[in-house]
Amino acid sequence: MSKGQRIVLASRPTGEPAPDNFRLEDYDIASPGEGQVLLRTIWLSLDPYMRGRMSDGPSYAAPVPIDGVMEGGTVCEVIESRSPSLAAGDIVLAHSGWQSHALVDGRGLRKIDPNLAPISTALGVLGMPGMTAYTGLLAIGNPQPGETVVVAAASGAVGSAVGQIAKIKGARAIGIAGGKDKCDYVVKELGFDACLDHRDADLAAQLKDACPKGIDVYFENVGGKVFEAVYPRLNNFARIPVCGLIADYNTIFGPDTPTPKWANSIMRAILVKRLTFRGFIVTDFAAMHGDFLRDMGQWVREGRVKYREFVTEGLASAPEAFIGLLRGANFGKQLVRIGPDRS
């Protein structure tokens, strides 16, 4: 029996995850039963939501159990199939986690056509991050021509798409990112109107200059000090899709989540400015998947939406890459190449 490798959750982190919260182990690769397929992982997606799965507090999804395989989206090759809808050699989008091989029910997989786009994009601009940007911005933010859209983590997989879609819809796009290189990329390559470095002490003043008419849509990926700088600039009736809070993930998933000292000020702004905050999970908008694939696929082919991938090599690199992702070390969509791409 052949051996595979997987990374499991060895312990739950307190605060920031550490390498010893993960364990790399070998396991036997089994053959598929009736209706099952055996997958070989090519690409693994690393995403901030995984931090929440490492904790066992209340959330919208069950946590990864101790000694369970870390959760994650994957692009895989079918090695062996006993499913009538899939054959060996097919490339599929799966959710098989941090492992080299997986035995799964063939009904939960979606075929990928390697001729349409690089297969890695099924985990990025043409996958969950891209759909998160598309649905959150259009269904909640609803940007209008001439309005100002601000997006945090603007060089990342979600934020980069948000700003480009905002431009397509005729709005101004202002990004916030970490460091000059990322900000230059957001403006010069992605076409945002401006990008501000969240590390600068005068971020609030820079936002005032960049958004002289205020902010109509703020796509929230970060929270923390970035949100504190943004919220005084929100216009009456501004819309705030809340996608993520990566700056606070290592504290809000702890046992004692602190109440921000400025919470009362935010509540007053919500009332007086009639703000709309809506948290969302991409699956809330499953009905928009067809529209997303049609529109985003066309925009990518036309070069109107660009993307960048940040790749580490080998399954063993995943824990450090994930820790780096939470610190903002990635530049673009964080992927791990686990096996050769023969598509």
Side-chain angles (χ1 to χ4, degrees):
M1 188 174 288
S2 300
K3 294 286 186 179
Q5 286 193 316
R6 61 192 176 199
I7 293 179
V8 302
L9 181 64
S11 59
R12 301 201 185 279
T14 299
E16 185 178 27
D20 60 8
N21 294 131
F22 307 90
R23 184 174 67 250
L24 177 66
E25 59 184 32
D26 296 332
Y27 64 99
D28 293 329
I29 301 174
S31 297
E34 188 65 32
Q36 292 184 316
V37 295
L38 176 62
L39 303 178
R40 175 185 67 83
T41 307
I42 302 171
W43 292 100
L44 167 66
S45 174
L46 298 182
D47 299 281
Y49 77 83
M50 296 172 178
R51 175 61 184 84
R53 301 290 200 276
M54 297 178 74
S55 298
D56 59 0
S59 186
Y60 61 88
V64 175
I66 297 297
D67 298 325
V69 177
M70 282 292 298
E71 180 177 333
T74 54
V75 168
C76 304
E77 179 185 3
V78 175
I79 300 301
E80 187 178 349
S81 175
R82 295 190 63 186
S83 167
S85 60
L86 293 167
D90 285 344
I91 304 298
V92 296
L93 178 66
H95 203 81
S96 52
W98 298 23
Q99 53 187 340
S100 63
H101 298 77
L103 199 60
V104 301
D105 187 333
R107 292 174 296 180
L109 306 175
R110 179 169 67 85
K111 285 186 184 180
I112 297 171
D113 185 349
N115 296 313
L116 295 179
I119 61 174
S120 59
T121 60
L123 296 172
V125 68
L126 298 180
M128 181 273 289
M131 185 168 170
T132 299
Y134 179 91
T135 57
L137 180 64
L138 299 185
I140 301 173
N142 189 27
Q144 300 301 305
E147 288 192 325
T148 296
V149 175
V150 174
V151 56
S155 67
V158 174
S160 61
V162 167
Q164 292 179 89
I165 296 170
K167 294 293 292 182
I168 289 171
K169 297 300 179 180
R172 295 182 69 241
I174 309 298
I176 301 174
K180 183 179 185 301
D181 289 345
K182 291 182 179 180
C183 287
D184 285 348
Y185 167 74
V186 166
V187 174
K188 297 176 182 179
E189 296 294 326
L190 303 184
F192 284 47
D193 294 281
C195 187
L196 312 178
D197 188 345
H198 69 75
R199 300 170 183 170
D200 289 345
D202 60 346
L203 176 61
Q206 292 186 32
L207 270 170
K208 184 177 181 179
D209 291 340
C211 308
K213 296 182 179 180
I215 298 169
D216 301 295
V217 179
Y218 174 52
F219 197 101
E220 176 64 286
N221 289 317
V222 172
K225 293 182 178 179
V226 172
F227 178 73
E228 291 185 51
V230 165
Y231 93 88
R233 306 301 308 160
L234 295 172
N235 287 333
N236 289 346
F237 304 104
R239 291 84 68 194
I240 302 92
V242 181
C243 171
L245 300 167
I246 193 170
D248 299 314
Y249 279 170
N250 290 327
T251 57
I252 64 176
F253 290 116
D256 299 310
T257 302
T259 300
K261 60 185 178 182
W262 34 266
N264 289 338
S265 175
I266 294 173
M267 292 301 292
R268 181 181 184 278
I270 291 172
L271 172 62
V272 174
K273 293 185 176 182
R274 289 85 87 201
L275 304 176
T276 297
F277 281 77
R278 178 173 171 184
F280 74 101
I281 309 300
V282 66
T283 51
D284 297 343
F285 299 107
M288 296 178 66
H289 190 246
D291 293 338
F292 159 70
L293 289 177
R294 179 198 66 220
D295 292 343
M296 190 68 89
Q298 178 178 342
W299 294 336
V300 170
R301 287 191 298 273
E302 294 174 348
R304 300 178 74 188
V305 171
K306 301 176 182 178
Y307 65 94
R308 183 167 181 162
E309 296 175 336
F310 191 83
V311 178
T312 62
E313 300 288 344
L315 181 62
S317 74
E320 289 288 359
F322 177 65
I323 293 168
L325 171 70
L326 295 178
R327 295 173 178 169
N330 62 302
F331 195 157
K333 170 61 193 167
Q334 176 71 67
L335 296 170
V336 179
R337 192 189 340 251
I338 293 179
D341 181 355
R342 294 194 287 263
S343 64

